[in-house]
DNA sequence: GTATGTTTCAAACGTTTGCTTCGATCCCGG
DNA sequence: CCGGGATCGAAGCAAACGTTTGAAACATAC
């Protein structure tokens, strides 16, 4: 146990602050201040702010995509005809997890994804495509099987539309503090949204 | 000719640069430099960078929402039963316009909208809701008539999902351009997207 | 032509940013 | 007990930022 939890504290704080305020608007001083670590720790452990941003994504995305890839492979080898609902439910369940903290982190991360997409963080987009493009292709390949009557080019578009629906919605949710106080004020949770989202996406992908 | 075109040049340049790089990442020096005006002109004419951002939105959104409101009122008074497709087509046609330059500006503006939403520019969101909330309500009221079998709360969600689909897609356009071009060997225009988007939104709003 | 009000300009202001450096301290394995 | 990586507080760097200023340039009215 030679390394302490400074790295984890930085990542935890950066994850929340980036999601709340955006990348450019979140200074290293704000992160290190709230994390209770020294300002120099970020550049000591990560090298730069850009590398920190990538590390935040990697910590969330790598285990998720690994798990997703496993689940998708199970579905691939399954003999039963795969329904669109089943595929989307599997992905959704995986993102929301089984615990109580995971949906909150999922929402935080979707906010991050929204910022990564609309803000032209080119380095981030390149990084995401390079590291997680395979799982995405695996998913779309499987999706094509569930909607064989939809032309591939049309399916391509509708996948992006669906991604936009969920990311945009979760990005636009009220501040994360009020969400975290789930006992009070009964604000919407990630699983609430998923429940509403599923019929929308299914209907959208199948088309009019 | 007491007023010069400095204001217009600033707005034109800011519109493009904000859409390309985001609000925080676009400096006043970049805007004024590219526009060929003095740095102080922004604060002289608009007062602040925040006010400039609002002015960019207002210049596009005010005439559009006025025109949309007129069109919607026509549909309200129409005796024919209003179909969901017709309502969406009217809005889409209006956004894309009839000229050749309007679709491009529409795409630029949708990128702006995406940044305004995912970046927590609270002042902007409050401003948009305050100034253009009425037209939005007018639209949703009309939409409810076209999908009477969908519960209002569900419809509310699906409108937001649809908004997310279009804004997110157009926000990520330039990357989608390259992806689509590579995978399917064809480039994309705003009206292309609208064409793909319509069946998706119709299917999504009607649900699975 | 002179007065008046508006617009443009170069320059500077004060602040914040990401990042680096420095020596002192702390913690832990050898 | 000792040595090396980790962390700290503090200070400072150059660059970039939004904003302000005072004077010059301009247009317009009398």
């Amino acid at each position: 146990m030679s390394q302490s939890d400074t790295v984890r504290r930085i990542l935890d704080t950066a994850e929340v602050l980036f999601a709340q305020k955006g990348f450019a608007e979140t200074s290293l001083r704000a992160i290190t201040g709230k994390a209770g670590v020294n300002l120099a720790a970020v550049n000591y452990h990560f090298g730069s702010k850009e590398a920190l941003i990538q590390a935040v994504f990697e910590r969330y995305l790598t285990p998720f995509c690994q798990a997703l890839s496993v689940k998708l492979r199970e579905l691939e080898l399954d003999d039963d005809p795969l329904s669109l609902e089943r595929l989307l439910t599997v992905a959704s369940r995986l993102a929301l997890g089984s615990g109580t903290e995971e949906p909150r982190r999922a929402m935080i991360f979707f906010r991050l994804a929204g910022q990564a997409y609309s803000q032209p963080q080119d380095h981030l987009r390149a990084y995401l495509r390079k590291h997680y493009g395979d799982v995405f292709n695996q998913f779309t390949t499987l999706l094509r099987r569930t909607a064989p009557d939809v032309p591939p080019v049309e399916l391509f578009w509708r996948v992006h539309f669906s991604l936009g629906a969920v990311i945009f919605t979760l990005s636009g949710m009220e501040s994360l503090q009020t969400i975290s106080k789930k006992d009070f004020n009964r604000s919407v949770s990630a699983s609430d949204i998923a429940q509403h989202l599923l019929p929308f996406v299914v209907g959208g992908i199948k088309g009019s």
Side-chain angles (χ1 to χ4, degrees), chain A residues 101-166:
Chain A
E101 188 58 19
E102 278 153 309
R104 203 177 101 81
R105 264 200 90 199
M107 283 190 60
I108 291 178
F109 182 76
F110 270 111
R111 283 185 69 99
L112 282 180
Q115 308 221 7
Y117 224 92
S118 60
Q119 287 183 238
Q121 293 270 4
D122 290 331
H123 72 98
L124 231 182
R125 281 157 82 145
Y127 170 84
L128 294 179
R129 267 179 65 81
K130 179 182 174 188
H131 284 52
Y132 308 105
D134 288 345
V135 186
F136 183 75
N137 289 335
Q138 193 184 356
F139 178 81
T140 53
T141 301
L142 210 46
L143 179 70
R144 207 167 303 168
R145 204 192 293 172
T146 73
D149 48 335
V150 179
V153 59
E154 209 69 38
L155 208 55
F156 164 83
W157 281 109
R158 293 179 186 175
V159 166
H160 278 277
F161 295 152
S162 305
L163 260 182
V166 52

